[in-house]
Coordinates of all heavy atoms in Angstrom, one line a residue:
K23 N -5.7 2.4 4.0 CA -4.2 2.3 4.0 C -3.7 1.8 2.7 O -4.5 1.3 1.9 CB -3.8 1.2 5.1 CG -4.2 1.6 6.5 CD -3.8 0.6 7.5 CE -4.2 1.0 8.9 NZ -3.8 0.0 9.9
A24 N -2.5 2.1 2.4 CA -1.9 1.7 1.1 C -1.4 0.2 1.3 O -0.5 0.0 2.2 CB -0.7 2.6 0.8
V25 N -1.9 -0.7 0.5 CA -1.6 -2.1 0.8 C -1.3 -2.8 -0.5 O -1.3 -2.2 -1.6 CB -2.9 -2.8 1.4 CG1 -3.4 -2.0 2.6 CG2 -4.0 -2.9 0.4
R26 N -0.9 -4.1 -0.4 CA -0.7 -5.0 -1.5 C -1.4 -6.3 -1.2 O -1.1 -6.8 -0.1 CB 0.7 -5.1 -1.9 CG 1.1 -6.2 -2.9 CD 0.3 -6.1 -4.2 NE 0.6 -4.8 -4.9 CZ -0.1 -4.2 -5.7 NH1 -1.3 -4.8 -6.1 NH2 0.2 -3.1 -6.3
L27 N -2.3 -6.8 -2.0 CA -2.8 -8.1 -1.8 C -1.9 -9.1 -2.5 O -1.3 -8.9 -3.5 CB -4.2 -8.2 -2.4 CG -5.3 -7.2 -2.0 CD1 -6.6 -7.5 -2.6 CD2 -5.4 -7.1 -0.5
Q28 N -1.9 -10.4 -2.0 CA -1.2 -11.5 -2.7 C -2.3 -12.2 -3.6 O -3.2 -12.7 -3.1 CB -0.6 -12.4 -1.7 CG 0.6 -11.9 -0.9 CD 1.2 -13.0 -0.1 OE1 1.1 -14.2 -0.3 NE2 2.0 -12.5 0.9
K29 N -2.0 -12.2 -4.9 CA -2.9 -12.8 -5.8 C -4.3 -12.4 -5.7 O -5.3 -13.2 -5.9 CB -2.8 -14.4 -5.7 CG -1.4 -14.9 -6.0 CD -1.3 -16.4 -5.9 CE 0.1 -16.9 -6.2 NZ 0.1 -18.4 -6.1
G30 N -4.6 -11.2 -5.3 CA -5.9 -10.6 -5.2 C -6.7 -11.1 -4.0 O -7.9 -11.0 -3.9
D31 N -6.0 -11.7 -3.0 CA -6.7 -12.3 -1.9 C -6.8 -11.3 -0.8 O -5.8 -10.8 -0.2 CB -5.9 -13.5 -1.4 CG -6.6 -14.3 -0.3 OD1 -7.5 -13.8 0.3 OD2 -6.2 -15.5 -0.1
Y32 N -8.0 -10.9 -0.4 CA -8.3 -9.9 0.6 C -7.9 -10.3 2.0 O -7.8 -9.5 2.9 CB -9.7 -9.5 0.6 CG -10.1 -8.5 -0.5 CD1 -10.3 -8.9 -1.8 CD2 -10.3 -7.1 -0.2 CE1 -10.6 -8.0 -2.8 CE2 -10.6 -6.2 -1.2 CZ -10.8 -6.7 -2.5 OH -11.1 -5.8 -3.5
A33 N -7.6 -11.6 2.2 CA -7.2 -12.1 3.4 C -5.7 -12.1 3.6 O -5.1 -12.4 4.6 CB -7.7 -13.6 3.7
K34 N -5.0 -11.8 2.5 CA -3.5 -11.8 2.5 C -3.0 -10.4 2.1 O -2.8 -10.1 0.9 CB -2.9 -12.8 1.5 CG -3.3 -14.3 1.9 CD -2.8 -15.3 0.9 CE -3.1 -16.7 1.3 NZ -2.7 -17.7 0.3
V35 N -2.9 -9.5 3.1 CA -2.7 -8.1 2.9 C -1.4 -7.7 3.5 O -1.1 -8.1 4.7 CB -3.8 -7.3 3.5 CG1 -3.6 -5.8 3.3 CG2 -5.2 -7.7 3.0
T36 N -0.6 -7.0 2.8 CA 0.6 -6.3 3.3 C 0.4 -4.8 3.3 O 0.0 -4.3 2.3 CB 1.9 -6.6 2.5 OG1 2.1 -8.1 2.4 CG2 3.1 -6.0 3.0
V37 N 0.6 -4.2 4.4 CA 0.4 -2.7 4.5 C 1.7 -2.1 4.3 O 2.7 -2.3 5.0 CB -0.1 -2.3 5.9 CG1 -0.2 -0.8 6.0 CG2 -1.5 -2.9 6.2
Y38 N 1.8 -1.2 3.3 CA 3.0 -0.5 2.9 C 3.1 0.9 3.6 O 4.2 1.4 3.8 CB 3.1 -0.3 1.4 CG 3.6 -1.6 0.7 CD1 2.7 -2.4 0.0 CD2 4.9 -2.0 0.8 CE1 3.1 -3.5 -0.7 CE2 5.3 -3.2 0.2 CZ 4.4 -3.9 -0.5 OH 4.8 -5.1 -1.2
N39 N 1.9 1.5 3.8 CA 1.9 2.8 4.4 C 0.5 3.1 5.0 O -0.5 2.8 4.3 CB 2.2 3.9 3.3 CG 2.7 5.2 3.9 OD1 2.1 5.7 4.9 ND2 3.7 5.8 3.4
D40 N 0.5 3.5 6.2 CA -0.8 3.8 6.8 C -1.5 5.0 6.2 O -2.7 5.2 6.4 CB -0.6 4.1 8.3 CG -0.3 2.8 9.1 OD1 -0.6 1.7 8.6 OD2 0.4 2.9 10.2
D41 N -0.7 5.8 5.5 CA -1.3 7.0 4.9 C -1.0 7.0 3.3 O 0.1 7.3 2.9 CB -0.6 8.3 5.5 CG -1.2 9.6 5.0 OD1 -2.0 9.6 4.1 OD2 -0.7 10.6 5.5
P42 N -2.0 6.7 2.5 CA -1.8 6.7 1.1 C -1.4 8.1 0.5 O -0.6 8.1 -0.5 CB -3.2 6.4 0.6 CG -3.9 5.6 1.7 CD -3.4 6.3 2.9
V43 N -1.8 9.2 1.1 CA -1.3 10.5 0.6 C 0.2 10.7 0.9 O 0.9 11.2 0.0 CB -2.1 11.6 1.3 CG1 -1.7 13.0 0.8 CG2 -3.6 11.4 1.1
A44 N 0.6 10.2 2.0 CA 2.1 10.2 2.3 C 2.8 9.4 1.3 O 3.9 9.7 0.8 CB 2.4 9.8 3.7
Q45 N 2.3 8.2 0.9 CA 2.9 7.4 -0.1 C 3.0 8.1 -1.4 O 3.9 8.0 -2.1 CB 2.1 6.1 -0.2 CG 2.8 5.0 -1.1 CD 4.2 4.7 -0.6 OE1 4.3 4.1 0.4 NE2 5.2 4.9 -1.5
A46 N 1.9 8.8 -1.8 CA 1.9 9.5 -3.0 C 3.0 10.6 -3.0 O 3.6 10.8 -4.0 CB 0.5 10.2 -3.2
R47 N 3.1 11.3 -1.9 CA 4.2 12.3 -1.8 C 5.6 11.6 -2.0 O 6.5 12.2 -2.6 CB 4.1 13.0 -0.5 CG 2.9 13.9 -0.3 CD 3.1 14.8 0.9 NE 1.8 15.5 1.3 CZ 1.0 15.1 2.3 NH1 1.3 14.1 3.0 NH2 -0.1 15.8 2.5
A48 N 5.7 10.4 -1.4 CA 7.0 9.7 -1.6 C 7.3 9.4 -3.1 O 8.4 9.5 -3.5 CB 7.0 8.4 -0.8
F49 N 6.2 9.1 -3.8 CA 6.4 8.8 -5.2 C 6.8 10.1 -6.0 O 7.6 10.1 -6.9 CB 5.1 8.2 -5.8 CG 4.8 6.8 -5.4 CD1 3.5 6.3 -5.3 CD2 5.9 5.9 -5.2 CE1 3.3 5.0 -5.0 CE2 5.7 4.6 -4.8 CZ 4.4 4.1 -4.7
V50 N 6.2 11.2 -5.5 CA 6.6 12.5 -6.1 C 8.1 12.8 -5.9 O 8.8 13.2 -6.8 CB 5.7 13.7 -5.5 CG1 6.3 15.0 -6.0 CG2 4.3 13.5 -5.9
D51 N 8.5 12.5 -4.7 CA 9.9 12.8 -4.4 C 10.8 11.9 -5.2 O 12.0 12.2 -5.5 CB 10.2 12.5 -2.9 CG 9.5 13.5 -2.0 OD1 9.2 14.6 -2.5 OD2 9.3 13.2 -0.8
A52 N 10.3 10.7 -5.6 CA 11.1 9.8 -6.4 C 11.1 10.1 -7.9 O 11.7 9.4 -8.7 CB 10.6 8.3 -6.2

């Protein structure tokens, strides 16, 4: 999944997109 860690902590994860490829397509659209 496409995520963001807080301060590099693997226990503090925010999921931005379940599909990294879909996220890449969104970046293309932007």
Side-chain angles (χ1 to χ4, degrees):
K23 300 179 180 181
V25 308
R26 169 58 58 203
L27 306 183
Q28 289 187 20
K29 298 183 180 181
D31 188 342
Y32 280 77
K34 297 179 180 178
V35 180
T36 300
V37 177
Y38 283 107
N39 199 317
D40 289 335
D41 182 358
V43 181
Q45 185 61 62
R47 292 194 190 101
F49 287 150
V50 172
D51 292 342

